[in-house]
Amino acid sequence: MKKIYLNLKNLMAFGMAVIMLASFIANPITAEAAKKKGSGNATYAVGDNIAFGNIDGGIISWTILTYDDKTKMAFVTTRKPLASKSVTAYREAIAQMFKQNGTKAGYVRWSENYWRGWLNQTFYKQCFNDAEREMIQKTTLSEQDAKNSIMNYYHDTSMDADYVGGKEKNALNMAIYNSQTTTADYIFFLSSDEYTANKDTIKNETLYMFPLRTNTYDDPTYGLFGNDTDKLIHRMYYYGGDSIRPAMYVKLGEPEEEATDSKSSDSKSSKSSSTKTTSTSDSKTTSSTSTSTAKAETTEAKSTSTRKYANNGTNEGDISLPEDSDHSMKPGDVAQVAIDMDYLNSTDKQFNCTYTTSDANVVTIDSNGQVIAVNKGSANVTVRMRKSNGKIYTMSCRIDVT
């Protein structure tokens, strides 16, 4: 079944690539802000629309939700939920995969979500040109921020469609709350906090529903969805819905000279933060757990900047956490986990790591973060890193063995 799913995904990606080559334009950045352009640079404001990227032959329109005029950093989401043929085909491929397997999707953390992989691989790589990808800033959502978003949703009864409709509000599922992880993405879904804070700026021009990033429900089969009609959060089958509403941080120009040095903008967004929790739940992980002490090393990142990676004394790895949401392997393949310290805003070189696998029959992981693919299937590898100051990061990646 995995092979069918991967073939569908690759076919869709190839078709999208062909469309992109035929319809891309060199630099499709336009905005309502252009109307305000005088002798200097264009200015932007909350509520402006910008044209950025291209999907299925059409330019994508985004709405600016927040904007910092000094750093030129804008937080944007699509003006309308995306329901194009590429999005629909991928959503149907996911549903078909579960149907062929005779299963239903259970609760899926954002770190292992199929949509996360699509957004940061197919969508990011094929729907934006080189200049646009340079402008898109990577964003870290900490484990604690993900937890806070879930808890805040439960406290904000005005955003619960069932509660507003007269039904009793259910209790929070603590197993889901405690299983949140740190993630880093170029493109993502709005969290329930971000949706709540910006729902009045978001353009509501359709009747679509779209999934949110930090999902929770008392029955873990379901997740949280924004609604373009009533601005409420609804709970429904996680891979259902009509569309998706991507969001990202994008730099619309050069920061002002009096702003802090360029490294200050390298955090990629105002949401970047370290975790503040001191406990996590490993209820979903099983065998191959081990603990070791590691030291951060310095290595050259994929870009020209230098980043710090940690994986027990080395600086190389096939799986970079928290950035990677999934990794494909074949039985017998070996991969190495590396932790990107810069995205975790960490200068602490002393920390303790515990590596776990959700299914040792599919993949194993040892005390050095080395992953071995055993049999076909899918499993999650999770790293729990405790720093010397007591802070804890939990990061995970879905491994597909085909």
Side-chain angles (χ1 to χ4, degrees):
M1 296 305 105
K2 271 292 181 187
K3 184 175 291 184
I4 294 174
Y5 161 69
L6 290 173
N7 288 338
L8 285 171
K9 185 176 178 181
N10 291 335
L11 181 62
M12 181 193 69
F14 175 77
M16 183 182 291
V18 173
I19 294 172
M20 292 306 104
L21 289 174
S23 59
F24 247 69
I25 58 179
N27 190 13
I29 286 287
T30 59
E32 292 175 357
K35 301 175 183 177
K36 296 176 271 185
K37 185 175 181 179
S39 57
N41 294 327
T43 59
Y44 298 86
V46 170
D48 283 349
N49 295 319
I50 61 173
F52 194 88
N54 188 305
I55 187 170
D56 294 334
I59 296 175
I60 306 170
S61 180
W62 305 77
T63 299
I64 297 177
L65 303 180
T66 65
Y67 179 66
D68 188 321
D69 196 46
K70 287 188 175 181
T71 63
K72 309 302 180 185
M73 192 71 70
F75 178 40
V76 302
T77 190
T78 52
R79 176 171 177 169
K80 295 180 180 180
L82 301 183
S84 69
K85 62 181 181 181
S86 294
V87 173
T88 301
Y90 188 69
R91 180 169 58 83
E92 290 177 349
I94 295 172
Q96 185 66 19
M97 180 187 65
F98 286 113
K99 182 178 180 180
Q100 290 174 335
N101 290 338
T103 59
K104 289 186 177 181
Y107 171 72
V108 181
R109 291 180 295 186
W110 177 248
S111 55
E112 295 97 29
N113 191 278
Y114 285 101
W115 278 117
R116 182 184 178 218
W118 186 87
L119 288 172
N120 287 277
Q121 294 173 26
T122 302
F123 187 61
Y124 171 73
K125 293 178 180 178
Q126 298 180 11
C127 293
F128 302 94
N129 60 31
D130 291 341
E132 291 169 332
R133 283 193 293 271
E134 284 293 318
M135 299 169 69
I136 300 173
Q137 309 297 296
K138 205 158 195 177
T139 302
T140 298
L141 178 74
S142 75
E143 176 183 339
Q144 190 59 50
D145 282 342
K147 288 183 175 182
N148 291 343
S149 185
I150 291 173
M151 189 62 74
N152 290 340
Y153 163 73
Y154 270 84
H155 289 168
D156 185 358
T157 56
S158 68
M159 294 303 295
D160 185 344
D162 290 340
Y163 183 86
V164 172
K167 297 181 180 179
E168 182 179 356
K169 192 171 185 69
N170 295 323
L172 174 65
N173 186 317
M174 293 306 296
I176 291 177
Y177 173 83
N178 285 319
S179 70
Q180 298 306 304
T181 62
T182 297
T183 53
D185 303 289
Y186 288 108
I187 305 173
F188 46 90
F189 291 157
L190 296 167
S191 69
S192 53
D193 270 359
E194 290 163 341
Y195 178 69
T196 303
N198 298 285
K199 63 186 179 69
D200 292 326
T201 303
I202 294 172
K203 305 292 194 299
N204 295 279
E205 302 173 351
T206 73
L207 302 178
Y208 290 140
M209 297 184 70
F210 45 90
L212 301 177
R213 178 151 108 258
T214 42
N215 282 263
T216 181
Y217 188 56
D218 307 279
D219 175 353
T221 301
Y222 289 77
L224 302 183
F225 284 72
N227 189 310
D228 215 20
T229 304
D230 56 20
K231 300 184 182 181
L232 294 174
I233 293 178
H234 293 248
R235 294 173 289 188
M236 57 183 290
Y237 178 60
Y238 189 81
Y239 288 108
D242 310 290
S243 57
I244 62 172
R245 198 163 210 157
M248 61 185 177
Y249 281 85
V250 58
K251 189 181 293 185
L252 300 176
E254 293 301 320
E256 295 180 2
E257 292 183 2
E258 64 270 23
T260 55
D261 61 46
S262 59
K263 291 184 179 179
S264 65
S265 64
D266 203 39
S267 62
K268 306 303 182 186
S269 81
S270 59
K271 293 294 291 182
S272 295
S273 60
S274 59
T275 55
K276 296 179 176 60
T277 181
T278 56
S279 64
T280 58
S281 172
D282 292 321
S283 59
K284 291 195 174 184
T285 57
T286 53
S287 35
S288 295
T289 302
S290 54
T291 305
S292 62
T293 300
K295 292 187 178 181
E297 299 289 337
T298 301
T299 185
E300 287 297 318
K302 295 177 182 178
S303 64
T304 57
S305 62
T306 299
R307 288 179 181 161
K308 296 177 181 177
Y309 285 83
N311 53 356
N312 298 284
T314 72
N315 58 8
E316 297 177 353
D318 309 285
I319 304 170
S320 179
L321 296 177
E323 298 99 305
D324 290 344
S325 60
D326 58 77
H327 184 77
S328 296
M329 303 176 68
K330 295 185 180 301
D333 285 355
V334 178
Q336 175 66 53
V337 173
I339 301 169
D340 191 331
M341 303 297 284
D342 280 0
Y343 280 133
L344 298 180
N345 297 326
S346 177
T347 57
D348 186 355
K349 294 185 177 182
Q350 297 293 334
F351 48 86
N352 179 273
C353 287
T354 302
Y355 299 87
T356 61
T357 175
S358 63
D359 190 344
N361 292 319
V362 177
V363 296
T364 62
I365 186 167
D366 67 13
S367 61
N368 295 315
Q370 185 180 81
V371 178
I372 299 176
V374 180
N375 294 301
K376 292 183 178 180
S378 293
N380 299 326
V381 295
T382 300
V383 181
R384 188 172 184 268
M385 184 179 77
R386 179 187 291 274
K387 299 200 300 181
S388 60
N389 61 7
K391 291 184 178 180
I392 294 175
Y393 294 102
T394 304
M395 299 155 282
S396 60
C397 176
R398 189 184 74 246
I399 307 295
D400 295 323
V401 182
T402 59

